[in-house]
Amino acid sequence: MSVNKIAPVGQGNGLHLVAFCCANSSAKAAELSKAPFEVDRVRVRLAQLACSSKIEVLHVLRALETGADGVALWTCPQDSCRFGRGCIRAAKRIERARRILEQIAVGGQRVFLQSLDPNDPDALDKALREATGRLVELGKSPLKTVGVK
Amino acid sequence: MIVAQAKDINEIADKLTNYEKILVAGCATCVAECMAGGEKEVAITASALRMALRLRGCQAQVAEVTADRQCEWELIEEIAPQVEAADVVVSLACGVGVACMWDRFEPKPIIPGVNTVFLGHREKPGLWLERCAACGDCTIDRTAGICPIARCAKSLQNGPCGGSTDGKCEIDPELDCAWHLIIERLKAMNQLDTLRENTPPRDWSTSRDGGPRRVVVEDVEE
Ligand code: SF4
Ligand code: SF4
């Protein structure tokens, strides 16, 4: 799959992925963050971050609270992080978000964290496919399937 | 400062299942500094509670507010409209703030959203350490600024217990032995001899043993 095979938003399969990508990890992130799109019928909304460490626990929680089924964060590998420890800080925030999601039974496994190989021009495409594939396996967020009293 | 720590979201959510209007109230002072109860933590707690409650089948509204301090009547008053509009409040302030909120808004239930743990300081990003036990009779100069009441696991007053190894406490190999630190500091100051003077047993009535304490400053008391 390459970027030009990513589909515009269509009927979809009801699954939503909110993805955050460090602007330094992928040149394609800028283009893909302009509008939502679909990968494997999963609707994806991608946002660029100036550095992956700009991710906040709240970004992850709010995405899931407001309708996402999964959240992904793509960082630079540790040895090529422009801000030195950005991806380490990002990983710690993701860990905390996962802990909270585990506590409340939404599931920490719905948060994907991966570093992108800066030498692979298709790294973002591959990460997208992996995350959407994983989300298809996990299915809808329990928040969407629960009945309300 | 007062140092607090987030509670497990489920412990809070379990107490909220019968309410419709919930307010998560933060405090922008001590607990914001230790990243347990400021505006950011309020937003995180509120979001997590909305999800936890939805998964319990509850359709509650969870609002957010942060007071500058929850231990000052004037500043509590600034959030009164939001508190009045809620059925229950989850306070992310320390126990002092929670107690003051109860006094002001009784009979509205105010549920603690954090655990108040100690008086301490930020050693480095992400790490807070206990430094004072508020004993009511400060003698920290005797031990070169390292308080053995707060930092010795046994609160020993006249030297180490003998159980420490390589400067670490016998209760936890990660924990510095306070008496090791005191001795090293006094040695460096060439004042180790000061420890020859016996510290008499403390009068704990100035501490918790004397019951709830009060401080009166007469010239400003009204
Ligand atoms: S309520 Fe507690 S945390 Fe808030 S300012 Fe007062 S002492 Fe500090
Ligand atoms: S001697 Fe008492 S007041 Fe002084 S630092 Fe220790 S516990 Fe706090």
Side-chain angles (χ1 to χ4, degrees), chain B residues 2 27 29-31 69-71 93-94 97:
Chain B
I2 294 177
C27 179
T29 309
C30 316
V31 288
R69 289 206 284 277
Q70 287 188 29
C71 57
C94 70

Side-chain angles (χ1 to χ4, degrees), chain B residues 131-135 137-140 147 149 202:
Chain B
R131 287 294 180 256
C132 169
C135 73
D137 181 17
C138 194
T139 53
I140 196 170
C147 175
I149 300 176
R202 287 185 81 89

Side-chain angles (χ1 to χ4, degrees), chain B residues 129-187:
Chain B
L129 297 174
E130 182 165 18
R131 287 294 180 256
C132 169
C135 73
D137 181 17
C138 194
T139 53
I140 196 170
D141 58 308
R142 273 213 290 247
T143 46
I146 297 159
C147 175
I149 300 176
R151 297 181 63 182
C152 163
K154 297 163 188 155
S155 294
L156 295 177
Q157 296 298 295
N158 282 294
C161 65
S164 67
T165 310
D166 297 332
K168 299 294 175 187
C169 177
E170 69 175 351
I171 70 152
D172 177 358
E174 297 284 305
L175 195 69
D176 288 327
C177 164
W179 274 103
H180 176 85
L181 298 177
I182 293 165
I183 287 165
E184 289 302 312
R185 189 175 283 176
L186 286 172
K187 241 197 249 169

Side-chain angles (χ1 to χ4, degrees), chain B residues 22 93 219:
Chain B
I22 298 162
D219 58 330

